[in-house]
Amino acid sequence: SGLDVVVERAANGELAVLSKLPVDGASEEALEIRSINVQTFQLRDSRIEFIDRSVAPLVDIEIGEVTANAYNFSLLEPFTFDFVGHHQTATDLETDLKIKGNVGIHSQTGTFDIALANFELHEIASYLGSGIRSGRLQLNADFKMQQGHLVAKNKVYIQNVKIDDRTQAVGSDQMSLATALFLLKDKNDVVELEVPIETDFNNFEIGFGDIFQ
């Protein structure tokens, strides 16, 4: 069965799930069952949309053709899962998102890998600032969570970045973004970065802009 989920970040930064609509018409009421175990749980032909109204212009990203599997799913014990989704950009480039790993909901522990390929930077221009108007992003992330404490190792690859020179400060003591990117990129016009993240999952204080910038 499919699922249609919309996650919205309000102007004040608060996150909320606006709709969770099972295709089969099941009730949306939350089940208060904690001791549940399902050998195999599958999700097909689903859609997830993320809207962020805390930035301008707002960010609106839709992930379609979502397929997800959970094995030995439990609310109390760790289980393994995998997730695949696709995003169609305005330039007709297809972005692939793959996530797999294991997680314990009750213990807030787990490890999972995220792979994002062919993502267009203009889709998140509101987070980037400094005149970035185009480019292609690839992300390989390794997440580890222990009792809600999240540590991530991210390898970021950015290709063919275009900068609006009109936004670059003239006469500033700081190096311009265009100059920094010129020094960082290799002969194939690729910038490769390692971006570590460490935070408390229950008190997530890293903004989306901080991650992307």
Side-chain angles (χ1 to χ4, degrees), residues 87-103:
H87 171 65
Q88 197 76 33
T89 69
T91 58
D92 292 330
L93 182 70
E94 187 171 273
T95 300
D96 295 319
L97 174 63
K98 299 179 180 180
I99 308 173
K100 64 178 181 179
N102 63 84
V103 64

Side-chain angles (χ1 to χ4, degrees), residues 94-168:
E94 187 171 273
T95 300
D96 295 319
L97 174 63
K98 299 179 180 180
I99 308 173
K100 64 178 181 179
N102 63 84
V103 64
I105 296 176
H106 182 65
S107 61
Q108 294 188 331
T109 61
T111 61
F112 48 96
D113 301 322
I114 299 177
L116 178 68
N118 297 325
F119 188 81
E120 292 282 9
L121 289 179
H122 70 80
E123 301 257 16
I124 51 174
S126 300
Y127 297 134
L128 300 175
S130 302
I132 294 181
R133 55 186 176 87
S134 67
R136 191 173 299 171
L137 171 70
Q138 177 178 326
L139 170 69
N140 294 312
D142 176 17
F143 283 81
K144 290 181 172 61
M145 184 167 62
Q146 185 70 33
Q147 295 181 336
H149 185 71
L150 187 66
V151 177
K153 296 180 180 179
N154 305 287
K155 289 188 176 181
V156 180
Y157 305 87
I158 303 174
Q159 186 176 17
N160 300 326
V161 179
K162 304 298 181 184
I163 305 295
D164 187 347
D165 294 332
R166 295 172 298 179
T167 65
Q168 303 301 293

Side-chain angles (χ1 to χ4, degrees), residues 46-95:
S46 299
R47 184 186 76 96
I48 299 174
E49 183 177 7
F50 172 71
I51 303 172
D52 191 349
R53 300 185 185 278
S54 69
V55 294
L58 67 81
V59 172
D60 189 346
I61 299 174
E62 179 180 321
I63 301 174
E65 301 178 23
V66 171
T67 299
N69 300 285
Y71 307 97
N72 297 317
F73 175 81
S74 171
L75 297 179
L76 297 176
E77 301 296 331
F79 62 91
T80 59
F81 71 95
D82 58 67
F83 173 102
V84 177
H86 304 282
H87 171 65
Q88 197 76 33
T89 69
T91 58
D92 292 330
L93 182 70
E94 187 171 273
T95 300

